[in-house]
Amino acid sequence: MEKKAYSCGNAGETLEWIGAIIDFIKPYSFFWDSHVVHFLTHRLWEAVDNEWLDTLRNEPLDYLIQIPSGFVQDRWPSSLKKFITTSTALSFPREQADFNKIFPNTQTILLNNVITQGMSQKKRHEIEALAAVIGSVAKDVDTNTVIDLGAGQGYLSQVLSFEYHLSVIAIDASDHHGRITHARAQRIKKHYDARMHKSSLGGREVMTPKTVTCSVLSPDMLNTLLNFKDIDECCLPSKPLLLTGLHACGDLSVTMLRTFLANEEVKAIVSVGCCYNLLSEESGMDNDALCGFPVSKGVKSSGLHLGRSSRDLACQSADRWRSMEKDASLHNFELHAFRAAFQVVLSRYFPETLTIIPTIGRQGKALRRRQQSSSMHGYFSTVNCCRAETGLTTGGVLCKSNSTGGKAEHDDRCLLFEKFSQCGMHRLNLNQMHGIDFAGIWKEAEPFAELIGPYWSLRATLGPVLETLILLDRLLFLQEQGDSVEVKMLPIFNPSVSPRNVALIAKKV
C-alpha cells in the first residue's frame, strides 16, 4: 500500500493501512508478545532467524541502535532488510509537521521566562507547539473555552489563559496538582497584571485557569462535569467547548474522544496520547465497550489482541535511540542483560515472585543519575572504571573477551551483576541473599548476553509500527462517525525531544 504523508483522508484508507500492519506483525508475535526480561528464562533468541542473529551479533553498536529507525546494510540478508524497511514504511511519519502551513491562522507565541518557570526544555517545547495548535483550532470552531484534561501542574492551562487569552478549566485527579496549579497561576498573574497595566489595555482583565480535582473515568462522568453549572464556585464559561490533553495517560485519551462525540457542546478536540501500556484492552468482558484498545469497529473486527508487552513496546522511541551516545547505548544493553539474568535468580530462588510480575523500576538509570550529580562511587562509576581497565569503551555490545582482558572483564561484570541483583532484591523486599550463586548464574548467562543487543534492536523495530496501529485505531474511530467529524493526525513536536509527538485534531462539521 502507499502510505499517506501524514493522516489518511477517509476511513477506507485508514483501514487499509491498519490491515497492512496487522498482516505484517502477525508472524512476529514472538517479538511483540514477549519481554526482554524473559530473554534467558524463555530462551527468546531461539525464535529469531539464526541468520539474522549471526549477522547482527558482530555489527558495531552504532548500527544496532539505528535499526529501529530503518537503518540497513546491503550485505545483510534480504529477509532481514525487508523486515526493517517494511516496519519503517508502515510506521507513521514522526518528523515535526509545519503546522503553520496546515493551520494558516496559527500564531506561535514564544514563552517568556516567567510563565516557563519550573518547565523542562521538553515541556516548554511541547507547550509552545500545542498551545499554538489549540489557539488555531479554537478560532476555527469559534470558541473561547478550553477544558484541559489531565492538566498536571497547569503549565498548558496557564499558557492558554495568560498568552492566548482563552478561558480554561484545568481538570486533574490529583488535589495536590490542583493546589499547585492555582498557586502558580496567582504568582504568574501578578506579572501579567503589571504588563497589562503598562500597555494600552490597562483595563483588560487577566484570566486565570479554574482548577477542578476530579478523576475522569468515563465519558458519562466527564459529561456530568461539563454540564454542572457551579465548578469551583465559578460558573462554567461560555460554550461551545474545546477539549484537550497533553500526554493524557492510558484510557484518558480515549475517554476524551468518546466525550467529544457524545457531548454536543464539545466542538473540537486536540489530544496527544501517552502511556499505551496503561490502556485497558478488549477481553470479552461486559465493559469492553469502554476499553482503551481497540476502539474502532474496524480493528475490533480483526480480533487482534496486543497485550501489555506489545503496548509497552509501542511507548518506546526510535528517534531517541538513534541519538543515543555510544556509552548510553552500552549501558542500556548491559542493563537488559543484567535484568534478564536477574529473572533467572528470581525463577530459581524466589519463584513465588513471578506470579505477580515483579517490577524493580529503573534502578540502573536512577543510579546513573545519582552518580552523575554527586561523587558517589556506585554502580555506574564501577562500570566506567571497568571499561577503563578492560578496554570496554569501544567495540560491540557486551564486548567479547579478548586475550588481554577476558577474565578481568568476566569478573567485573559478574560483580556488577551481583550488585544489580542485590538492588533489585532490595526493591522487592527479598532480603534473604545468602546462598544465591550469582557468579554461577552470570556464567550461564554470559555466553548469550551478546545476543541481547541484536534481539532488543529487532524487537524495538516493531515499536513505531505498534504505536501507529494504536493511533490509527483512534483515527478510524473518529472517521467511522461519517461526515459529521473532520479529523487529522499530525506530529507536532520534535520527536527527539518529545517522542509521543502525534496529535489527534478533530472538529465537528
Side-chain angles (χ1 to χ4, degrees):
M1 62 162 289
E2 180 184 353
K3 190 177 65 176
K4 305 302 175 184
Y6 283 121
S7 196
C8 288
N10 56 60
E13 293 177 354
T14 304
L15 194 57
E16 180 187 0
W17 193 344
I18 289 171
I21 289 176
I22 293 175
D23 289 343
F24 170 67
I25 66 173
K26 276 185 176 178
Y28 300 107
S29 60
F30 60 84
F31 274 140
W32 52 263
D33 200 26
S34 63
H35 200 290
V36 181
V37 300
H38 299 129
F39 185 76
L40 295 168
T41 54
H42 293 28
R43 301 180 68 86
L44 296 180
W45 66 88
E46 293 183 347
V48 186
D49 189 313
N50 285 334
E51 190 179 15
W52 293 12
L53 290 179
D54 288 343
T55 298
L56 297 180
R57 72 197 303 171
N58 296 312
E59 293 290 3
L61 185 65
D62 292 347
Y63 287 8
L64 295 183
I65 62 176
Q66 293 184 71
I67 287 176
S69 299
F71 177 84
V72 296
Q73 287 284 285
D74 289 340
R75 64 177 180 274
W76 292 357
S78 58
S79 59
L80 173 58
K81 290 188 290 186
K82 184 178 180 181
F83 170 76
I84 297 170
T85 56
T86 304
S87 296
T88 304
L90 289 175
S91 299
F92 191 76
R94 308 311 292 264
E95 183 179 353
Q96 185 177 12
D98 185 353
F99 45 82
N100 290 288
K101 292 182 179 179
I102 299 169
F103 303 103
N105 63 347
T106 300
Q107 178 189 8
T108 302
I109 297 175
L110 299 180
L111 304 180
N112 61 63
N113 291 333
V114 173
I115 203 167
T116 59
Q117 285 182 3
M119 291 187 196
S120 64
Q121 285 299 113
K122 173 180 179 289
K123 186 66 67 178
R124 181 172 185 161
H125 167 74
E126 292 168 346
I127 289 176
E128 280 187 350
L130 182 58
V133 172
I134 293 170
S136 175
V137 176
K139 291 178 184 176
D140 287 346
V141 297
D142 195 24
T143 183
N144 191 51
T145 306
V146 176
I147 309 294
D148 181 11
L149 274 181
Q153 298 186 34
Y155 294 145
L156 175 62
S157 297
Q158 289 154 15
V159 169
L160 293 173
S161 291
F162 293 124
E163 290 288 356
Y164 287 83
H165 310 296
L166 295 169
S167 180
V168 184
I169 293 181
I171 300 177
D172 196 86
S174 168
D175 182 57
H176 174 67
H177 282 165
R179 291 195 300 271
I180 290 177
T181 298
H182 180 73
R184 188 175 187 276
Q186 294 305 312
R187 292 196 303 271
I188 295 173
K189 184 176 184 296
K190 296 178 181 178
H191 167 79
Y192 283 85
D193 279 338
R195 194 169 78 172
M196 192 71 73
H197 180 73
K198 293 178 181 179
S199 72
S200 58
L201 301 174
R204 183 171 176 175
E205 181 184 1
V206 176
M207 293 187 291
T208 60
K210 311 298 186 298
T211 58
V212 177
T213 299
C214 175
S215 181
V216 179
L217 302 178
S218 70
D220 289 341
M221 182 180 293
L222 186 54
N223 286 337
T224 300
L225 178 64
L226 296 182
N227 289 312
F228 191 56
K229 301 300 181 184
D230 189 17
I231 294 179
D232 196 29
E233 300 181 352
C234 294
C235 291
L236 187 68
S238 61
K239 299 177 180 180
L241 306 172
L242 184 152
L243 201 59
T244 192
L246 172 56
H247 293 153
C249 289
D251 286 356
L252 182 55
S253 294
V254 176
T255 298
M256 290 170 59
L257 301 184
R258 292 191 171 109
T259 303
F260 164 68
L261 296 177
N263 191 304
E264 64 179 21
E265 301 294 347
V266 180
K267 300 301 183 183
I269 182 170
V270 181
S271 171
V272 183
C274 191
C275 300
Y276 311 122
N277 55 309
L278 300 180
L279 285 171
S280 60
E281 193 164 358
E282 190 174 59
S283 58
M285 305 298 287
D286 292 338
N287 62 350
D288 279 351
L290 297 179
C291 72
F293 178 85
V295 292
S296 68
K297 295 176 183 177
V299 178
K300 284 182 178 181
S301 66
S302 73
L304 179 71
H305 181 81
L306 290 180
R308 174 67 181 260
S309 290
S310 55
R311 287 185 277 109
D312 183 69
L313 179 57
C315 297
Q316 306 305 309
S317 169
D319 290 281
R320 280 194 172 170
W321 300 324
R322 182 175 55 194
S323 60
M324 268 188 180
E325 295 180 358
K326 185 175 293 186
D327 260 11
S329 302
L330 188 55
H331 279 314
N332 184 47
F333 291 141
E334 286 173 339
L335 288 174
H336 281 304
F338 290 157
R339 180 61 183 88
F342 179 60
Q343 195 75 0
V344 177
V345 174
L346 296 179
S347 66
R348 291 187 184 174
Y349 295 94
F350 308 97
E352 67 280 0
T353 63
L354 302 182
T355 62
I356 58 172
I357 313 177
T359 300
I360 63 173
R362 299 181 176 183
Q363 60 176 30
K365 293 182 180 179
L367 283 165
R368 185 195 311 168
R369 284 196 297 268
R370 290 203 298 271
Q371 189 271 334
Q372 288 173 338
S373 61
S374 70
S375 59
M376 67 168 284
H377 296 286
Y379 172 80
F380 277 100
S381 60
T382 308
V383 169
N384 290 331
C385 287
C386 292
R387 289 205 184 108
E389 293 169 3
T390 61
L392 294 179
T393 53
T394 59
V397 180
L398 290 173
C399 310
K400 299 177 182 178
S401 302
N402 53 51
S403 58
T404 58
K407 185 179 186 305
E409 180 182 321
H410 166 80
D411 292 344
D412 288 332
R413 284 220 170 84
C414 187
L415 176 62
L416 292 174
F417 167 63
E418 183 171 349
K419 289 185 177 181
F420 179 96
S421 297
Q422 289 171 349
C423 288
M425 292 172 68
H426 178 72
R427 289 290 299 270
L428 296 173
N429 295 316
L430 302 174
N431 299 316
Q432 188 177 351
M433 299 189 188
H434 298 295
I436 298 178
D437 185 11
F438 294 110
I441 289 176
W442 182 248
K443 185 177 180 180
E444 293 176 36
E446 195 169 32
F448 304 102
E450 66 179 31
L451 298 177
I452 284 275
Y455 180 88
W456 182 90
S457 298
L458 291 170
R459 182 176 183 270
T461 302
L462 291 175
V465 186
L466 293 168
E467 181 180 17
T468 298
L469 176 61
I470 293 171
L471 293 173
L472 291 177
D473 174 51
R474 298 175 183 182
L475 174 65
L476 181 60
F477 174 62
L478 295 179
Q479 290 176 330
E480 288 172 343
Q481 311 308 313
D483 296 335
S484 61
V485 175
E486 178 185 305
V487 57
K488 58 172 61 75
M489 222 161 60
L490 288 176
I492 64 171
F493 309 140
N494 180 331
S496 296
V497 177
S498 180
R500 306 280 75 76
N501 72 338
V502 177
L504 199 59
I505 304 164
K507 300 180 290 186
K508 288 177 181 170
V509 179

